[in-house]
Amino acid sequence: MRGIGKSFPGVRALSDVSLTLNAGEVLVLVGENGAGKSTLMKILSGALPADEGEILVNGTPVRIGSPQEAQHLGIGMIYQEFTLVPQLNVPANISLGAEATHAGLIDSAAVNERARRVLDELGLELPFDVPVSRLSVGQQQLVEIAKALATSARIIVMDEPTAALSDREIERLFTIVRRLRANGAGIIYISHRMEELPQIADRVTVLRDGKVVETRAASDFPAAEIIAAMVGRRLTSHFPELPPVPADAPVRLEVRGLGREGIVSDVSFSVRAGEIVGLAGLIGAGRTEILRAIAGADAPIAGTILVDGRVLHPGRIGGAIDAGVAFITEDRKAQGLVLGMSVRENVTLAHLKEFVDRDQLVNVVRERGATARLIDELQIKTPGTEQLARNLSGGTQQKVVLAKWLLGDARVFLFDEPTRGIDVGAKSEIYKLMIDLIARGAAIVMVSSDLPELLGMSHRVLVVRDGRIAAEFSRAEATPNRVIAVATGAAAA
Amino acid sequence: MTQRERFDYWLRIGGAIAFVIVLVAIVDVASRGSFLEPSNIVRVLRQITYNCILGVGQTFVIITSGIDLSVGSLVALTGVVAALFANSVHLSGFPLIAATLIVALAVGCAAGWVNALPVVKLNLPPFITTLAMLEMAVGAAFILSHGRPVALQSADFQNTGIGSFLGGLTRALHLPNIPVPVVWMLAVIVIASVLLNRTRFGRYVFAIGGNEEAARLAGINVTRVKTAVYMISGACAAIVGFLYMALFSSGSPQTGTGDELLESIAAVVVGGTSLMGGRGSVVGTFFGALLIGVLYNAMNLLNVDSYLQKVLLGAVILLAVVLDELRKRYLTS
């Protein structure tokens, strides 16, 4: 790609971006949200036209006008969001849009054969006869990859493929990537996770504000320098200092014998004011379900949940909110925000009661005031309180979700993957906010698949395995190796 | 508002005004001035009253991304029940009218509650549950009325059905009579509009239509709000059943079972409410109903063949939603 430029109304998304990808190489593309990574990849995959510049494949200039044309040129794109049809099985999804036909009817033998060939090539085994909706998230991701490879792509773009994967699944993905590389494919790999880079990257290209800042061999590009190039200033440390929990801090949240049929069993722990407890574990271990049970999002459940010594009624979200529980969900688009509503309407949604005047009407002026205050406090990048949530970037949306819960006087915060898919700058702002919250006496339970984050931001780490708490580590004891060993079942607690 | 949104806002307003002026000018000239006569304008309002009120109730349901197919049948059922009730009680004057209205509303709300129950408890599609109600309600109306219109014995409903609002005043000012049902419609629109735009309940209706899971996790009682929207739709059907009963001096099991359902949905959609939920307005529904009413009226004045009228109406509905979709794409592109 040579001298690529692209503008959107009011924004220069890319300017003079040049990129070379060799056969048999993994080029990792990093950059904060809004740096232009996704736009660049959309241009490469034909989803967006470039304003200027040219693209050469195997030395020949090409015009990529549509995703179909990209496919013909051997460019395969694996999107961050799944593009599978949940009701169809694995072979049908892999062949979708390119089904082999016989006399106008789908030739299912050929479709199955093709799927088997691709999966063999990847060294994968997946069940063929169930709809993909029944597969785990990790398996679905693998189907997504197989789908891109079925078009015999030689240039493969992966947009944050590990965001939804557990550590074991990531290992498997890396094996596949290395195999593809050995077969001579060129891979562009977009990631937010620094710790992945040494394992996978041959070269690293850093994008900032629509420009290439630096490209270097991965072996010669330490994480601290990559991050510095991304944010344009040198960060001394990933994580802010965690203040110690006061010795006399009262217990804010207590969970006793929590259970949910087949998913969570006999989970007990407590969190004190000013304390952050991290829940580690593989995807599907039951971490999110523990948070959901505390928040009252699921019923029926066994066990008792106490907030400031008062028992919560299980399965009542409203009751949990009134008791001061704030649940910041993992998927902000599906669960955290009403995208078609304004920032103001989203922020006040859980506490609208407090904005109702004596005439029973909602007081919009007061809503605006409160929202503007939070926009200020959290430095939410929005043109105003009336902007639709849909139009904001991922990190900004996450801040809107946080603002929603800061509005009430919540004292127990349940964070589920609070920084997934957001850029480094926004991440550190969220960490700072968590510190602010515990300084004000809140208790935090955090679930994160980003292990350095979990270890860096927790006073204590509980490792969840098969719906149970398999081990508890103090901050000093919690090393990545120990936690992973317990989470994967390699070591007993 | 971005520049694009501001442009879009004026384009919509300007476009609507231009469209109306052109349409009115053509029809007025072609009909030799009868279109713009005050009495004709009032006629249009009277004609759209019933479908507009149904559309207002439907708007609440559609914003939650539901649908209520039972409204037409509920008009028949509530009209029949109201007439039977009015004939069986020893009341007269205002108490009779009020009690009859309350009975009609109770039947409509109860039917709406039944519509909502399988939707909120079992997550069944409202298309099916309200389709079942459509059949049950019209069947019940025929059973209760023995298949014949139930004639009202009291003449106390005449003013509600065909009377004029502040008749003395409008006559003194040489204005056309304002039919009482039109005032009912305007009252329903105002109340519904305040409910939808200014109360917590209204905000929750939009939130549920926009993202039900996010609404639930924000502590909103989704079951209660969804049940309420079907009850509101049932109540609106009951008001229409009551007004028709007053208009015809009888409750007939056949009233409301014609084009009412589909034309009320058309009014909602033409009025800019999204069938996908999360977006819409009561005032939009009024203008949707008005557009359809004006079209019918204009076509009648121009002596357009009644079969052709249907074709043209369908084309206008399609055009309206296509334009709205193109506008949205422009805004988000």
Side-chain angles (χ1 to χ4, degrees), chain A residues 177-199:
Chain A
V177 171
R178 289 188 197 108
R179 193 190 288 235
L180 292 170
R181 173 172 62 185
N183 291 343
I187 294 153
I188 298 179
Y189 186 103
I190 299 178
S191 182
H192 274 122
R193 303 168 84 159
M194 289 304 129
E195 72 277 13
E196 291 177 3
L197 268 49
Q199 300 182 54

Side-chain angles (χ1 to χ4, degrees), chain B residues 222-233:
Chain B
V222 173
T223 301
R224 203 186 294 165
V225 175
K226 274 184 141 181
T227 305
V229 297
Y230 288 93
M231 290 174 73
I232 287 172
S233 183

Side-chain angles (χ1 to χ4, degrees), chain A residues 296-313:
Chain A
D298 291 322
I301 56 164
T304 317
I305 296 155
L306 298 98
V307 171
D308 290 329
R310 277 184 32 227
V311 177
L312 286 193
H313 195 290

